[in-house]
Amino acid sequence: MKSTGKALAALRGLMANLPSNLGSINAYIIPSDDAHQSEYLAERDERRAFISGFDGSAGTAVVTEKQALLWTDGRYYQQAGKQLDNAWTLMKDGQPSTPSIDAWFANELQPGSKVGVDANLISTRAWNPLETALKSAGCSLLPIAPNLIDLIWENQPAAPNKPIVPLSVEFTGKPIATKLAEVREAMNEKRASVLVVSALDEIAWFLNLRGSDIDYNPVFFAYILVTLEDLFFFVDESKLLPAIYDHFRANNVQPRVRPYDEVHGMLKSLAESSSSRVWISLGSSYALTTLIPEEKRMHAITPINLMKAVKNDVEASGMRACHIRDGVALCQYFGWLEDCIKNNVAVDEISGASRLEELRSLQDKYMGLSFTTISASGPNGSVIHYHPLPATNRPISDKEMYLCDSGAQYSDGTTDVTRTMHFGAPTEEEIHAFTLVLKGQISLGTAVFPRKVKGQFLDTIARKALWDEGLDYGHGTGHGIGHYLNVHEGPMGIGIRLMPDDPGLEENMFLSNEPGYYKEGQFGIRIEDIVQVVPANIRNDFDGRGALSFSTVTMCPIQTKLVDVKLLTEKERTSLNNYHKTVRETLAPLLREANDANTLTWLERETQPI
C-alpha cells in the first residue's frame, strides 16, 4: 500500500485549472488502458496504478473534487482491498449492490458537471454509453489532452524502444501478402476503403512480427492503416532493424513506414478524402474514432481479429507441440517440488516460481514467460490474480494447498496452465471443493455444442457442480489464447458476461478451461487447461450447423489425491483416466529420452487410473 494523498492533491489542482485554459472539470476518469486498449501495459502507461496504488490488470479509477473510487472485478477484490489506502473507496464491480460507473455519475454528480478523460485511453465502446448516461443526467463527457496523470507523474518511465523481430512462415503458416489479400477482400465485401488497426496483437500477427515493448506480451507499439492500394505502418523506425525490411521483401509486401505519432493526421486525411466507408472497431480509442466523419464510420470487429482467432494448421500444430514441451517442464517442476518438501528442503513461492521458469527455459523454442507466475501457497491462493512479492512470500509446505498458474511463450505457441496441489494431507473441505471444481472442468472439457455458439452459453456447464452447493468463482471460465502472442486473446471467451464481439466458437480456436473456487484467507483452487475446438464425433450435427467439442492440449497431471472419487460419475472418472493416459503416453517417451528417471516415476504415479 502506498500513500496517494500527494498525487490526488496534484491531480485535483489540475482538474480545477486545466492546462491550455480549458477551464475545470468535476471528475476525471483514469482507465486501465493504453492508447491501444491493451490488457497489460508498459510501465509508462500504468497511470491508474500510479494514482491509486492498485496494480491489477483490470480496473477504472474515478477522482472527483472530494472522492476517489476504484472499480474492479472479482479477480481483484482482495488485492485492491490490500493496496488501496484510505483515500480510496473500493467499488466491487459485479456485486448487485455496486452501481456501474455510469449509474454512479448519474446519481452523484450535480447537473452541469463535467467529466474528463483522455480520449486515447478509452474505447469508443466504453465512451458511447458513458456519454449518453452523463447527458441524461445533465452532465457532459469531455476529451482532455494532455493526459493529466502524465503532468503530475514525476519520473514517469520512458516509452519502450525495443527492436522488432520477424517470425518465419515456418511458425506463422501464412505469409503477409496472403493475409493482406484476405483483409482487402473483407474490406471490399463491406464497401470500406480504409481499415484502422490499433490492437497491438492484431498488428504483430498480421505482419508476422513480434516485439517486447510490454512484458510477457510479444508485441510492439504501432498502428496500421490498410487501404485498397497501400499499407501504412506507423512505428518508431529505430525499432526496425535491416532484418525487418528483408522480412517484408520475402513476404512480397512493401509497407509505407511512417512515424508512430503521425497516425492521427494520416487517418484524418484518408477519412476525409475517402469516397466510401472507414472500418474501425468499437474497441479502438475514441480519439481515433472522432477523426472519421460520423457518416463514414463503419464499426465492426476487424477481419484481422477474426482471422487471428482461428488458428491455421501450422499455428494449431505449434500450439499442440509447445504444450507438450511445456508439460515436460511442469512435470519436472512438480516432481522436484514434491521431493523438496518431503526432504525438508525450503522452497517458497518466489523460489518455486524461479525454478519453474528455469525448467521452462531449457525447452526448445522457449522465448519467455507469458505472464507473471501465480505461485500461491495457502491463503495467498484465494487471491485470484496473486503474484508473489517479498512482502507476501510464503513457504510451500505439506500443510497447505498450493496453486500454480503459469505459462510460457514459445516461437510456435503460447501456454497457460493452472494446477492446484497438496503435498500433505488435504482436509475434507479441500477435497470436496477440489472435486466440485474438477467436475465442472471435465463437464466443460467434454461438452458438445453447435458451431458458432457463443461462449457465454457454455459457462454454466463449468459452474453447475459448484452452484448446486451455493458456491461460485469470481472470474471467467475461459479466454482465447494467442499463438506466440497475448495469453488473453479475444474476441471469443467463456464467461457470465457477454463478450460483444464474440463471433461464436469455430474449429481451431484455442481457449482456456479454468473453473475455480476460492475461500478467502484459507485456500484457492483452480484447474486450467488449454483446449482446442475440434469437430465432435457424434451421430448428429445440429441439422447441418456442425457439431463441435474440445480437445485438451495441456499435458500435466491433475492431482488425484484431491479427488473424492465417490462424487464423480462414471463418465467423469473415465474422462480423467483417459486424460491421464494421454499425458503419460505423450510425456513418458520424452522423459526417457532425457534420462529423467525421477520425473518419469512421478509422472507414472500421478497418472495412475482411479
Side-chain angles (χ1 to χ4, degrees):
M1 182 183 294
K2 77 171 188 177
S3 175
T4 61
K6 181 180 177 181
L8 284 171
L11 176 58
R12 287 176 173 135
L14 285 177
M15 290 166 57
N17 186 19
L18 292 171
S20 305
N21 299 316
L22 293 176
S24 64
I25 53 176
N26 305 96
Y28 189 62
I29 302 171
I30 306 98
S32 294
D33 293 359
D34 60 15
H36 302 267
Q37 286 58 61
S38 306
E39 177 183 11
Y40 298 104
L41 304 176
E43 286 187 5
R44 74 162 285 105
D45 292 318
E46 292 179 351
R47 298 176 178 90
R48 189 219 57 226
F50 167 79
I51 194 65
S52 71
F54 166 66
D55 62 3
S57 67
T60 301
V62 172
V63 176
T64 70
E65 294 140 305
K66 294 183 178 179
Q67 296 188 72
L69 307 100
L70 177 93
W71 276 260
T72 192
D73 62 44
R75 295 171 294 170
Y76 293 112
Y77 292 166
Q78 291 187 59
Q79 180 180 336
K82 293 175 181 177
Q83 290 186 324
L84 296 175
D85 67 14
N86 58 14
W88 287 83
T89 299
L90 173 60
M91 307 295 284
K92 295 183 176 181
D93 200 12
Q95 296 278 24
S97 60
T98 302
S100 66
I101 295 176
D102 302 12
W104 187 89
F105 278 138
N107 292 328
E108 298 292 331
L109 294 182
Q110 296 295 317
S113 295
K114 294 181 286 187
V115 177
V117 65
D118 184 341
N120 291 290
L121 307 186
I122 183 170
S123 69
T124 304
R125 175 175 283 118
W127 174 284
N128 288 343
L130 180 57
E131 181 181 43
T132 299
L134 286 168
K135 281 183 178 179
S136 298
C139 303
S140 56
L141 181 62
L142 304 176
I144 302 297
N147 186 285
L148 300 187
I149 301 298
D150 292 350
L151 297 179
I152 65 171
W153 190 350
E154 297 178 3
N155 302 315
Q156 183 179 16
N161 187 30
K162 299 175 182 177
I164 299 170
V165 297
L167 189 62
S168 166
V169 72
E170 169 194 354
F171 299 113
T172 68
K174 188 180 290 187
I176 308 170
T178 303
K179 295 179 180 181
L180 180 58
E182 292 174 356
V183 166
R184 285 180 171 148
E185 181 180 357
M187 291 170 64
N188 280 317
E189 290 175 356
K190 298 284 190 181
R191 301 193 306 280
S193 59
V194 182
L195 172 68
V196 182
V197 188
S198 62
L200 301 183
D201 61 336
E202 293 184 35
I203 294 166
W205 180 88
F206 180 68
L207 295 178
N208 291 345
L209 298 174
R210 297 296 187 266
S212 54
D213 281 349
I214 299 177
D215 288 346
Y216 310 113
N217 297 260
V219 297
F220 49 89
F221 286 104
Y223 294 95
I224 285 176
L225 297 178
V226 183
T227 73
L228 299 177
E229 299 82 24
D230 291 308
L231 170 60
F232 294 95
F233 182 27
F234 299 88
V235 65
D236 183 343
E237 198 166 359
S238 66
K239 297 179 180 182
L240 304 183
L241 302 178
I244 300 300
Y245 294 99
D246 294 340
H247 169 74
F248 287 145
R249 282 189 289 270
N251 275 265
N252 296 314
V253 294
Q254 292 183 315
R256 298 177 65 175
V257 178
R258 297 287 186 271
Y260 174 81
D261 292 331
E262 288 187 7
V263 64
H264 295 84
M266 179 65 77
L267 175 57
K268 190 174 191 301
S269 175
L270 289 172
E272 290 176 349
S273 62
S274 172
S275 59
S276 57
R277 301 193 293 180
V278 177
W279 187 342
I280 186 169
S281 165
L282 284 168
S284 294
S285 73
Y286 184 71
L288 287 174
T289 297
T290 54
L291 298 171
I292 305 167
E294 193 167 355
E295 68 277 7
K296 294 183 180 180
R297 296 175 196 168
M298 191 196 83
H299 288 302
I301 183 174
T302 73
I304 294 173
N305 202 339
L306 294 171
M307 292 160 59
K308 175 171 56 66
V310 179
K311 275 48 178 179
N312 62 49
D313 289 344
V314 171
E315 291 171 323
S317 176
M319 290 289 283
R320 293 189 297 269
C322 75
H323 278 85
I324 292 171
R325 298 193 304 277
D326 203 61
V328 170
L330 286 163
C331 291
Q332 290 173 333
Y333 172 62
F334 289 123
W336 167 85
L337 184 56
E338 183 180 272
D339 283 344
C340 287
I341 292 170
K342 282 182 178 179
N343 295 309
N344 296 315
V345 177
V347 183
D348 56 36
E349 294 168 340
I350 292 176
S351 63
S354 297
R355 175 61 175 164
L356 177 53
E357 182 177 2
E358 177 188 3
L359 290 167
R360 277 193 164 112
S361 71
L362 301 176
Q363 295 300 314
D364 186 34
K365 300 180 177 65
Y366 175 80
M367 304 300 290
L369 298 182
S370 56
F371 58 96
T372 305
T373 298
I374 299 172
S375 175
S377 179
N380 287 342
S382 69
V383 181
I384 294 173
H385 271 200
Y386 171 84
H387 61 270
L389 298 169
T392 62
N393 191 25
R394 292 176 62 87
I396 303 171
S397 73
D398 61 359
K399 303 294 190 295
E400 298 176 314
M401 299 275 273
Y402 175 62
L403 186 155
C404 184
D405 184 347
S406 64
Q409 299 285 4
Y410 300 91
S411 54
D412 57 349
T414 301
T415 70
D416 181 6
V417 56
T418 308
R419 289 294 181 263
T420 306
M421 296 191 173
H422 199 302
F423 299 103
T427 66
E428 288 186 11
E429 180 184 23
E430 290 167 340
I431 291 172
H432 187 76
F434 184 93
T435 307
L436 296 180
V437 173
L438 177 63
K439 285 172 71 69
Q441 212 253 2
I442 292 173
S443 294
L444 180 59
T446 57
V448 175
F449 47 91
R451 179 179 175 271
K452 299 292 284 186
V453 74
K454 306 288 187 181
Q456 183 185 28
F457 294 102
L458 302 181
D459 181 77
T460 309
I461 296 173
R463 297 181 193 265
K464 185 181 185 305
L466 289 161
W467 280 4
D468 284 346
E469 299 198 12
L471 304 176
D472 200 6
Y473 50 94
H475 56 78
T477 298
H479 58 80
I481 184 169
H483 172 264
Y484 183 25
L485 269 175
N486 296 356
V487 72
H488 294 162
E489 176 179 278
M492 67 290 179
I494 301 171
I496 289 177
R497 296 183 181 183
L498 175 67
M499 299 191 71
D501 289 328
D502 187 349
L505 296 178
E506 293 192 54
E507 185 178 351
N508 273 1
M509 287 180 170
F510 285 74
L511 302 96
S512 68
N513 171 11
E514 52 175 311
Y517 172 69
Y518 310 89
K519 187 162 187 180
E520 184 171 351
Q522 295 192 37
F523 61 84
I525 297 166
R526 186 161 62 251
I527 306 170
E528 177 184 15
D529 292 328
I530 299 301
V531 294
Q532 178 181 359
V533 181
V534 297
N537 183 23
I538 58 172
R539 177 181 299 177
N540 300 307
D541 68 346
F542 298 99
D543 293 327
R545 184 174 171 185
L548 299 174
S549 61
F550 293 123
S551 173
T552 299
V553 299
T554 298
M555 291 288 136
C556 183
I558 294 168
Q559 192 178 51
T560 54
K561 177 202 293 188
L562 282 165
V563 179
D564 183 349
V565 181
K566 298 187 300 294
L567 293 179
L568 298 184
T569 66
E570 184 64 24
K571 178 182 176 182
E572 290 165 346
R573 188 174 65 85
T574 300
S575 175
L576 181 60
N577 286 338
N578 287 342
Y579 173 67
H580 278 154
K581 181 174 183 287
T582 298
V583 171
R584 182 173 63 252
E585 291 178 350
T586 302
L587 299 186
L590 300 177
L591 294 171
R592 291 191 189 98
E593 183 180 330
N595 294 317
D596 190 346
N598 290 339
T599 304
L600 179 60
T601 299
W602 179 90
L603 172 69
E604 290 176 339
R605 189 193 72 221
E606 291 296 314
T607 55
Q608 288 300 305
I610 58 173

